[in-house]
Amino acid sequence: MRSDQIRQGRLAGERSGDLEHFLASMDADRWIARADLLVDMAHLLGLSRQGIIDEAPARALMAALLDLYDHGVPEEAFDERFEDVHAGKEAYLIDRVGEDFGGRLHMGRSRNDEVATCIRIRLKEEIIALLRSLVDLRATLLDVAAGHTGTVMPGFTHLQHAQPTTLAHYLLAYEQAFSRDTARLREAYARVDVSPLGSAAFASTGFPLDRAYTASLLGFSRPAGNSMDAVAARDFAIEVLADASICMTSTSRLCEELVLWSTAFVGFVRLDDAYCSSSSIMPQKKNPDVAEIMRAKAGSVAGSLAAAITITKGLPMSYNRDLQELTPHLWRGVEAARQSIPLLSGMLGSATFDAERMAAEAGRGFSTATELADVLVREYGLPFRTAHRIVGRAVRHGSLDLATLEAAAREAADFSVVELGLTREKIDAVLDPRHAVAVRNIVGGPAPEAVAAQISEQRNLLARDKAWAEETESALSGAFEHLILEARRFAA
């Protein structure tokens, strides 16, 4: 195949292999090769519809493009002498149908709007895939939570025993976080869903293109409103990377807890063997490697986000070649998130939680002290700060029995809780972790009825998000199917 046809006019001389490799974007371009064919077909149909290209070259080009679509872009189109797959594919088409025909496809178009359109197409597909995975993960969290509404466990602040809660309440906290990730990605999708095609280098084109027509063919909601912004903007990529990074941050937090919980000195969970590895020297080891690698992937996604922001922060309008360096970070970031979320769902769904071990820890560390202070307020009329001081003083003395509380009350507040009517039986009842959970039955609380309401509400939201993802995926794939059908009719 010929050398890079784009260099043959203004530039002379040959490049070294090192220079070609430095400039090439072929690894990242493999992500968008299929999208590039769709963009070519839509552009060609648009050129023909507007009478910009004659029938003979248009049909010859469409037949060649369909052959590439059916059989794949040949490896020679990814040769680094072409810098990118767009130039490599154009060289292939010129070789196949001749320059008089093949050289006409690029009318009214630049690689700037071409690549921006390809990135948005592929990114829309990646967003949908990630959304579908998040829907599955949230369903898993809700299902596991529904089976553990009565599983009492310790809740932690500062990684210390704080107050009793339930495993369901804990899992629902993460489901809430992942539901917000879903909402963010849905919102980002709307901003990705605009077509740059027809913007050309940045100042649009004098050819009478129908940009709304090609946008519709490619499954976009509308054409981009400003041609300079259309080719220069990568904030949509940064936004998706930010959303993926936030999602992976929650993922990393959950994985961190699974790692801790699976240790012998915590023992709250047993992970399925499929999600663990062993040691090459220590035969007893069962290491939570999937959770650990997922925890590390969160750092990789955050790194991709930081790189994307840094690459774009000093760029003048409009297009600059620096943007080529952003794209690999985009694909690495979204791929890490898309790979991680289904594995997290599987790891949680196959895990075994030790309810007895959790219950044994639920009351440790004076975790029911807050409820005792609350009872002194609710039932005996003390100001909360006074009750807080009395219970805290008793904890300092090492016990929450009646004698210690009485001594603490006289020492810290100069009155008797026994005279107020506090009894040993009352203290024993209040210090039961199940009691502390049961009375926290307001909206969002850990009591079984409050948790059941949360599960019901989140299932309804999940159903709406699932329907949106399915409908959006169907609409996008339907647009592509229609485009291919129109292309085949045109070439026939």
Side-chain angles (χ1 to χ4, degrees), residues 308-375:
I309 292 172
T310 307
I311 287 167
T312 56
K313 72 176 182 60
L315 299 185
M317 281 290 181
S318 57
Y319 181 84
N320 297 270
R321 190 68 177 271
D322 311 53
L323 294 176
Q324 175 179 299
E325 192 68 14
L326 180 149
T327 311
H329 293 290
L330 173 62
W331 302 138
R332 279 196 294 270
V334 297
E335 181 180 42
R338 181 172 45 78
Q339 289 176 342
S340 296
I341 298 306
L343 296 179
L344 179 58
S345 180
M347 185 161 54
L348 286 167
S350 61
T352 302
F353 293 94
D354 192 331
E356 291 185 7
R357 177 77 184 112
M358 289 179 167
E361 287 290 324
R364 292 192 60 185
F366 300 101
S367 68
T368 51
T370 302
E371 177 57 19
L372 179 57
D374 287 346
V375 165

Side-chain angles (χ1 to χ4, degrees), residues 81-146:
R81 69 181 182 271
F82 295 112
E83 294 188 7
D84 55 47
V85 71
H86 317 295
K89 178 169 48 61
E90 184 181 30
Y92 171 86
L93 292 171
I94 289 173
D95 276 353
R96 177 160 173 171
V97 301
E99 184 164 326
D100 188 46
F101 283 6
R104 297 178 185 275
L105 179 59
H106 213 59
M107 289 188 293
R109 188 178 70 174
S110 163
R111 283 185 295 182
N112 296 356
D113 63 329
E114 182 179 0
V115 69
T117 307
C118 293
I119 290 171
R120 286 176 181 265
I121 288 172
R122 182 59 192 266
L123 188 54
K124 285 167 61 179
E125 294 176 320
E126 290 296 315
I127 292 171
I128 292 170
L130 183 52
L131 281 168
R132 296 292 295 267
S133 295
L134 280 168
V135 164
D136 291 342
L137 172 59
R138 289 164 57 196
T140 298
L141 286 165
L142 290 169
D143 288 343
V144 177

Side-chain angles (χ1 to χ4, degrees), residues 405-484:
L405 282 165
E406 176 68 8
R410 292 187 179 278
E411 177 184 331
D414 195 25
F415 66 84
S416 169
V417 290
V418 172
E419 292 177 2
L420 290 178
L422 187 64
T423 65
R424 179 188 304 172
E425 291 76 18
K426 185 66 174 180
I427 293 171
D428 290 343
V430 168
L431 294 183
D432 183 346
R434 294 187 179 277
H435 167 83
V437 168
V439 298
R440 282 159 172 76
N441 58 4
I442 63 174
V443 172
E449 60 268 30
V451 165
Q454 292 174 52
I455 291 173
S456 177
E457 182 177 347
Q458 291 305 111
R459 285 198 193 280
N460 290 335
L461 176 58
L462 179 64
R464 294 194 295 271
D465 286 337
K466 181 179 181 180
W468 185 91
E470 291 174 349
E471 291 166 5
T472 303
E473 183 177 40
S474 177
L476 187 61
S477 61
F480 295 158
E481 290 170 5
H482 174 72
L483 171 58
I484 297 302

Side-chain angles (χ1 to χ4, degrees), residues 297-311:
K297 291 283 188 184
S300 298
V301 178
S304 293
L305 170 61
I309 292 172
T310 307
I311 287 167

Side-chain angles (χ1 to χ4, degrees), residues 144-155 163-171 261 268 352-360 362 433-434 437 446-448 451:
V144 177
H148 288 281
T149 58
T151 302
V152 177
M153 61 169 283
Q163 290 180 277
T165 185
T166 64
L167 180 57
H169 192 236
Y170 163 85
L171 293 171
W261 287 13
F268 285 179
T352 302
F353 293 94
D354 192 331
E356 291 185 7
R357 177 77 184 112
M358 289 179 167
R434 294 187 179 277
V437 168
V451 165

